[in-house]
């Protein structure tokens, strides 16, 4: 991190020696008479990227958004992020506009750091992305998900037996990362040997940190570490892909056993199969998406249940009723998970207060007008979960933990967006729901616990996580 800060300081000196002030934009028309959104673009070249990231490092990612909503506009404001001119669309109105204009006025976009770490995520692979979005719903559809619940149950029991049981104290976030990665390896590529899983998991933290880092490719920066880690994992996955291809040909693997087999056997309308390198790259993306967000959610469930005994008691009561209905050794089923309604309301409230996906970018593919302001083609557009999740307009007393918000019809449309929305909504939303609920079932039926650091700071980089990993003291249930 010291090298990272040094790199940033060097960059500041290089590009701002001629300018020691911010450039403010007060919605004045340009010389062409175009009215841009109000805001400021910050420092030359790097814009406001540092402030954007720094509020997360301090555990208050919403501060960047709400400060500018208050100063410039609660609907849309201008900034400069990740070396790009950008507008931040706020509130349910902004979410609805971006989610419902996908491929009409806007398209998905990721910062240069993502294109470097995932080379096939660039513009030449838009066709591959469309293929993936057609294919994934087949893998995550209800019939397939039914099949995963007992598998998830087995992996979860093994995880608690190895990492939690017999321990007086544990570091939660380390274990939830191990758990969700193990599960993703099992269900996506049929690897569940603990040593193999541990070997593959090592570089993933570097990839996650590199994905939304300022793209400064110097030794020691999070960006460079992310690139190196992704290259290492991609090479390992390519070997796994090649081996599976052989096993399928020899009848040693089945077409439906996991997403890797599914990808290898999937062909488009022209009968073309995905290239091995593309499959490795897509599996890499799925392993990140399939475990990073859920590991953060699981850790925060542990945090909030430790702090709120009445919420814990409600979850415990529901989960014990399910546990008592099972025969010894009988695995959880889809029907069991469907009964975990209060537990899922609790999980949703955790996702509202600590959304693993803080927001995402789109790109304007044409000039258009939004709320009276011109949005030029090529501008990057950002939506923020916190602009609604922590906004009293949509969630009264937003800092209060209240699972009843999700009873009945639940929150208003476009206000609760932990999985995004529109055509780009996370296809693994239901998968995440299952793994979180199976985790909660074993967590509360086995233990009570307390936080060792009562006022532990939260850091967002790029996902929320407890600064010290959330160490807790375990108290196993007797009997």
């Amino acid at each position: 991190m010291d090298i990272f800060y040094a790199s940033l300081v060097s960059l500041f000196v290089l590009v701002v020696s001629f300018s020691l002030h911010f450039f403010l934009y007060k919605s004045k028309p340009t010389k062409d008479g175009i009215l841009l959104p109000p805001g400021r673009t910050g420092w030359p070249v790097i814009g406001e990227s540092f402030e954007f990231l720094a509020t997360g490092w301090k555990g208050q990612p919403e501060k960047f958004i709400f400060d500018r909503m208050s100063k410039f506009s609660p609907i849309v404001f201008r900034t400069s992020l990740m070396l790009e001119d950008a507008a931040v669309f706020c509130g349910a109105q902004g979410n609805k506009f971006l989610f419902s204009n996908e491929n009409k006025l806007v398209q998905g976009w990721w910062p240069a750091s993502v294109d470097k770490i995932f080379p096939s995520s660039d513009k030449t692979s838009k066709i591959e992305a469309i293929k993936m979005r057609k294919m994934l719903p087949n893998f995550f559809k209800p019939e397939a998900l039914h099949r995963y619940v007992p598998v998830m149950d087995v992996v979860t029991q093994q995880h608690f037996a190895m990492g939690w049981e017999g321990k007086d104290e544990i570091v939660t976030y380390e274990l939830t990362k191990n758990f969700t990665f193990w599960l993703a390896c099992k269900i996506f590529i049929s690897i569940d040997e603990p040593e193999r899983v541990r070997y593959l998991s090592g570089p993933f933290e570097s990839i996650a940190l590199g994905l939304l880092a300022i793209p400064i490719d110097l030794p020691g920066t999070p960006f460079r570490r992310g690139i190196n880690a992704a290259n290492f994992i991609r090479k390992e996955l390519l070997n796994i892909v090649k081996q599976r291809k052989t096993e399928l040909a020899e009848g040693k693997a089945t077409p439906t056993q996991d997403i890797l087999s599914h990808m290898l056997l999937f062909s488009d309308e022209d009968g073309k199969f995905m290239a091995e390198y593309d499959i490795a790259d897509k599996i890499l993306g799925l392993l990140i998406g399939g475990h990073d967000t859920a590991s953060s959610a699981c850790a925060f469930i542990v945090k909030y249940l430790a702090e709120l005994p009445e919420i814990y008691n409600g979850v415990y009561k529901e989960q014990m009723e399910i546990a008592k209905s099972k025969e010894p050794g009988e695995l959880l089923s889809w029907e069991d998970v469907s009964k975990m309604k209060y537990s899922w309301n609790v999980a949703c409230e955790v996702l509202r207060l600590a959304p693993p996906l803080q927001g995402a970018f789109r790109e304007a593919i044409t000039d258009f007008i939004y709320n009276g302001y011109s949005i030029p083609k090529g501008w990057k557009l950002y939506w923020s979960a916190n602009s609604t999740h922590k906004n009293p307009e949509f969630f009264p007393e937003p800092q209060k933990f209240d699972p009843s918000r999700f009873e009945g019809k639940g929150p208003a449309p476009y206000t609760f967006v932990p999985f995004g929305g529109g055509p780009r909504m996370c296809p693994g939303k239901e998968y995440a729901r299952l793994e979180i609920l199976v985790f909660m079932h074993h967590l509360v039926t086995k233990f009570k616990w307390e936080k060792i650091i009562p006022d532990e700071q939260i850091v967002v980089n790029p996902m929320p996580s407890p600064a010290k990993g959330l160490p807790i003291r375990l108290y196993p249930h007797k009997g």
Side-chain angles (χ1 to χ4, degrees), residues 56-291:
W57 299 336
K58 293 172 185 173
Q60 295 179 301
E62 67 274 14
K63 182 170 168 44
F64 180 90
I65 304 295
F66 284 125
D67 282 357
R68 286 154 184 77
M69 285 174 68
S70 172
K71 185 168 187 178
F72 299 118
S73 165
I75 297 169
V76 59
F77 62 83
R78 182 182 184 182
T79 182
S80 174
L81 298 174
M82 305 302 170
L83 315 184
E84 301 278 353
D85 282 327
V88 177
F89 284 52
C90 308
Q93 175 187 338
N95 293 343
K96 180 179 181 180
F97 183 87
L98 292 180
F99 296 162
S100 48
N101 281 289
E102 186 80 25
N103 300 322
K104 298 173 195 168
L105 300 177
V106 304
Q107 65 183 9
W109 180 85
W110 286 100
S113 52
V114 177
D115 284 343
K116 264 293 192 69
I117 290 172
F118 293 104
S120 69
S121 70
D122 64 18
K123 291 178 173 54
T124 62
S125 71
K126 290 268 186 279
I127 296 165
E128 290 298 329
I130 291 166
K131 281 186 196 172
M132 273 290 282
R133 299 202 80 79
K134 282 182 181 174
M135 180 181 67
L136 284 178
N138 291 326
F139 195 77
F140 291 121
K141 62 188 177 184
E143 307 90 87
L145 290 172
H146 284 217
R147 197 169 66 235
Y148 305 152
V149 177
V151 178
M152 288 181 171
D153 195 9
V154 169
V155 171
T156 309
Q157 288 186 45
Q158 291 174 328
H159 164 75
F160 274 96
M162 291 176 63
W164 299 63
E165 290 168 17
K167 309 280 196 307
D168 295 324
E169 297 177 0
I170 57 104
V171 179
T172 307
Y173 195 39
E174 287 178 12
L175 289 183
T176 61
K177 284 190 285 188
N178 293 345
F179 163 64
T180 54
F181 188 72
W182 186 355
L183 202 52
C185 284
K186 173 66 177 174
I187 287 174
F188 296 162
I189 54 178
S190 295
I191 288 175
D192 61 357
E193 304 91 346
E195 284 303 314
R196 190 93 187 276
V197 171
R198 202 171 294 119
Y199 173 73
L200 290 173
S201 71
F204 268 84
E205 189 158 348
S206 295
I207 297 174
L209 292 173
L211 280 174
L212 291 180
I214 296 173
I216 301 169
D217 192 3
L218 294 172
T221 61
F223 184 50
R224 171 69 67 85
R225 287 198 295 269
I227 292 171
N228 292 343
N231 288 339
F232 170 80
I233 287 288
R234 195 179 285 108
K235 188 176 174 185
E236 293 293 322
L237 288 173
L238 204 49
N239 291 333
I240 291 167
V241 170
K242 289 177 185 296
Q243 182 183 345
R244 175 64 61 81
K245 205 171 183 179
T246 303
E247 289 170 350
L248 283 167
E250 294 173 352
K252 293 177 182 174
T254 63
T256 58
Q257 76 181 53
D258 56 24
I259 202 165
L260 174 54
S261 285
H262 196 72
M263 281 185 175
L264 280 165
L265 298 171
F266 176 82
S267 60
D268 61 19
E269 306 85 64
D270 302 323
K272 289 183 182 174
F273 293 90
M274 289 177 71
E276 291 176 359
Y277 184 90
D278 278 327
I279 291 174
D281 218 42
K282 299 302 181 266
I283 291 284
L284 173 56
L286 284 171
L287 286 172
I288 292 172
H291 98 279

Side-chain angles (χ1 to χ4, degrees), residues 211-468:
L211 280 174
L212 291 180
I214 296 173
I216 301 169
D217 192 3
L218 294 172
T221 61
F223 184 50
R224 171 69 67 85
R225 287 198 295 269
I227 292 171
N228 292 343
N231 288 339
F232 170 80
I233 287 288
R234 195 179 285 108
K235 188 176 174 185
E236 293 293 322
L237 288 173
L238 204 49
N239 291 333
I240 291 167
V241 170
K242 289 177 185 296
Q243 182 183 345
R244 175 64 61 81
K245 205 171 183 179
T246 303
E247 289 170 350
L248 283 167
E250 294 173 352
K252 293 177 182 174
T254 63
T256 58
Q257 76 181 53
D258 56 24
I259 202 165
L260 174 54
S261 285
H262 196 72
M263 281 185 175
L264 280 165
L265 298 171
F266 176 82
S267 60
D268 61 19
E269 306 85 64
D270 302 323
K272 289 183 182 174
F273 293 90
M274 289 177 71
E276 291 176 359
Y277 184 90
D278 278 327
I279 291 174
D281 218 42
K282 299 302 181 266
I283 291 284
L284 173 56
L286 284 171
L287 286 172
I288 292 172
H291 98 279
D292 249 359
T293 52
S295 63
S296 173
C298 288
F300 278 87
I301 285 166
V302 173
K303 166 185 149 62
Y304 283 111
L305 292 185
E307 294 169 353
L308 302 162
E310 71 282 6
I311 303 294
Y312 172 92
N313 290 338
V315 174
Y316 176 75
K317 182 183 174 193
E318 179 176 81
Q319 295 295 348
M320 283 307 295
E321 284 176 11
I322 293 167
K324 287 171 183 173
S325 73
K326 309 297 286 182
E327 295 293 329
E330 186 185 354
L331 297 173
L332 288 172
S333 66
W334 174 268
E335 290 70 29
D336 294 322
V337 173
S338 301
K339 294 173 187 170
M340 300 178 184
K341 291 185 168 51
Y342 180 75
S343 298
W344 183 239
N345 288 348
V346 169
C348 285
E349 184 67 340
V350 170
L351 290 168
R352 181 186 71 81
L353 286 165
L357 178 66
Q358 296 289 304
F361 286 96
R362 302 288 190 268
E363 180 179 40
I365 54 179
T366 185
D367 295 339
F368 62 86
I369 303 293
Y370 179 71
N371 201 56
Y373 299 113
S374 293
I375 305 295
K377 178 181 178 180
W379 266 33
K380 307 309 178 273
L381 316 172
Y382 185 76
W383 65 267
S384 162
N386 287 314
S387 83
T388 54
H389 285 200
K390 296 184 179 176
N391 191 330
E393 180 185 345
F394 306 111
F395 294 96
E397 296 183 82
Q399 296 305 327
K400 181 182 177 185
F401 193 97
D402 182 7
S404 70
R405 302 179 198 274
F406 296 90
E407 291 174 359
K409 290 183 179 177
Y414 302 103
T415 61
F416 179 61
V417 288
F419 299 101
R424 301 186 70 82
M425 179 180 279
C426 172
K429 174 185 172 184
E430 276 301 299
Y431 168 84
R433 186 178 77 92
L434 294 183
E435 69 177 323
I436 288 169
L437 287 173
V438 173
F439 173 82
M440 289 177 78
H441 175 79
H442 287 283
L443 175 71
V444 299
T445 57
K446 294 177 190 299
F447 301 103
K448 285 196 81 162
W449 59 93
E450 64 181 7
K451 291 164 64 178
I452 292 173
I453 308 171
D455 55 352
E456 185 174 359
Q457 188 189 347
I458 303 305
V459 177
V460 180
N461 186 30
M463 265 159 279
S465 62
K468 303 291 185 185

